[in-house]
Amino acid sequence: MSDSNNPFDGNNPFAMMMAQAQEMAKSWPAMEAFTPKGFEKMMGTMPKDMMEMMFGNTLNEGGLDARTRMLLTLAGLTMQGAQNDMAFRQAVRHAVEAGATKQHIVETIGTMSMFAGLPAMTRALDLAQQVLDEEKDEE
């Protein structure tokens, strides 16, 4: 292997690919303003009625309602260490839309501390608080 720092020397295909991607991104002016948070804001929240129909007990009478399913989703994401910030925040938004209160969300995440550990719970609570703060600011 060469000690060259030149990504185009043919010895470092990943560096070459990244350099090409950066050059391509520079050619699109809108890419300069792109942020993951901005992308996240473009994603909508599914209306409660649609969640009930697709994930709730509308078509599965006697089954779990959408709020319970979304709280279970939060529990699962917490168990994984709340590693995907965007997916976790989106799940919190959907849980709120489905009727979950701040107490429901905090208790769901808190319960997972027994199984996922305190670091996972703390991270999940931080992410949930970001969404709950947004909700409070919009009121």
Side-chain angles (χ1 to χ4, degrees), residues 62-127:
L64 297 174
D65 63 341
R67 181 186 76 182
T68 303
R69 287 180 190 261
M70 290 312 304
L71 292 173
L72 288 169
T73 301
L74 287 176
L77 291 170
T78 301
M79 287 295 294
Q80 293 176 339
Q83 295 178 24
N84 186 334
D85 296 10
M86 189 165 39
F88 195 91
R89 286 190 296 259
Q90 194 67 10
V92 172
R93 287 184 192 98
H94 280 98
V96 168
E97 176 66 23
T101 65
K102 179 179 180 177
Q103 182 176 352
H104 292 144
I105 293 167
V106 170
E107 284 185 22
T108 298
I109 295 169
T111 301
M112 293 302 101
S113 69
M114 298 298 295
F115 306 101
L118 291 175
M121 180 200 73
T122 302
R123 178 152 175 66
L125 285 172
D126 286 343
L127 292 170

Side-chain angles (χ1 to χ4, degrees), residues 5-48:
N5 289 329
N6 181 358
F8 298 103
D9 68 1
N11 291 327
N12 191 339
F14 180 75
M16 191 165 113
M17 180 185 72
M18 291 304 293
Q20 287 173 337
Q22 288 170 346
E23 287 301 314
M24 186 172 63
K26 287 178 188 174
S27 69
W28 295 331
M31 289 300 291
E32 291 177 13
F34 175 82
T35 65
K37 284 261 191 188
F39 179 72
E40 184 177 345
K41 287 182 181 181
M42 290 181 356
M43 297 174 68
T45 302
M46 190 181 302
K48 181 180 180 180

Side-chain angles (χ1 to χ4, degrees), residues 50-70:
M50 185 178 278
M51 277 191 274
E52 279 297 344
M53 185 182 76
M54 295 175 70
F55 310 121
N57 58 18
T58 301
L59 300 176
N60 183 24
E61 197 171 322
L64 297 174
D65 63 341
R67 181 186 76 182
T68 303
R69 287 180 190 261
M70 290 312 304

